[in-house]
Amino acid sequence: MIDTEETAAAAVQSWLDRLYESNAGFRVKAVADGGQVWRAVTGKPGTHLGEFCAQVDKVTGVVQAGFVPQIGPSARDGYSRMMRTTVVPELRRLGFTGSGRRFTLQTGKYLGTIEFQQSQGNTWMGVRFTANVSAASSSGWTARLGSLSHHGCDHWWSVWAGFPNDDVAADLITAIRDHAVPAIKGERNPPDVPTADLNVASLGQRMRDAVSHGLHRRRSRNGPRP
């Protein structure tokens, strides 16, 4: 009896290793309840989407290559619904304004944006997406959300047609709430962006102002160019 997602994933992984040999690198990417069977998306880690699907009979444990008909909500539908019903309301609660792909957080002297970006290769079966975070501060910076929240790595999230996405939404919200927002507010440093020294920043501005003033005086003295 295959009665949990974990045992279904293990059965599919064992099937993959026998079919392609373990060094081929195929892994189970997602598992969902399909009634009498468990459905699974498989592929190589780091690839854009799953190479193919498989299904596991809950009673016999037999694994077969599966075909997913394009019936019902697509992955794009699932992504849109996840953003509309779960992610955007949380962004509002955190103080963000905006709509669509771009949201802005204005808090005191800090101004930051989060802009969601989908992969160009998305299909009916799968949607892969990430987010770019930027802050308007004395140092000014832009970073991928994954580099803030996933150990400095460029992380992309995936939504699959017919598969639950609660875990995806929860991980995305955690990344924004616990990592992006503190970085925008200056409570932590974004990757590869040094802490801004206000005295140094002020000195730099004074130097730029002095150069600009000198150029203006020189042009005034020499008259307009022909």
Side-chain angles (χ1 to χ4, degrees), residues 2 27 32 46 49 82 87 92 120 151 156 162 170-171 178 189 192 196 205 210 218 225:
I2 308 296
R27 295 292 180 267
L49 296 173
M82 179 189 73
V87 177
R92 303 277 188 238
Q120 293 182 349
H151 309 291
W156 290 69
D171 187 58
D178 296 350
N189 293 332
D192 303 322
Q205 186 60 55
R218 186 181 306 169
R225 291 184 178 182

Side-chain angles (χ1 to χ4, degrees), residues 21-60:
E21 300 182 354
S22 58
N23 59 5
F26 285 96
R27 295 292 180 267
V28 178
K29 292 189 172 184
V31 175
D33 193 337
Q36 295 181 345
V37 298
W38 292 98
R39 298 169 53 220
V41 176
T42 72
K44 292 186 178 181
T47 55
H48 173 60
L49 296 173
E51 274 70 26
F52 60 89
C53 298
Q55 61 183 31
V56 187
D57 189 288
K58 291 184 177 180
V59 177
T60 65

Side-chain angles (χ1 to χ4, degrees), residues 50-113:
E51 274 70 26
F52 60 89
C53 298
Q55 61 183 31
V56 187
D57 189 288
K58 291 184 177 180
V59 177
T60 65
V62 174
V63 182
Q64 295 179 326
F67 173 71
V68 181
Q70 295 188 11
I71 299 175
S74 67
R76 293 184 178 91
D77 296 331
Y79 171 81
S80 298
R81 185 177 186 281
M82 179 189 73
M83 295 297 292
R84 182 177 67 254
T85 62
T86 306
V87 177
V88 173
E90 181 64 17
L91 289 174
R92 303 277 188 238
R93 192 188 69 79
L94 292 171
F96 284 88
T97 59
S99 61
R101 296 186 301 117
R102 185 181 177 86
F103 297 85
T104 301
L105 177 65
Q106 175 78 63
T107 170
K109 61 180 179 179
Y110 299 105
L111 174 65
T113 62

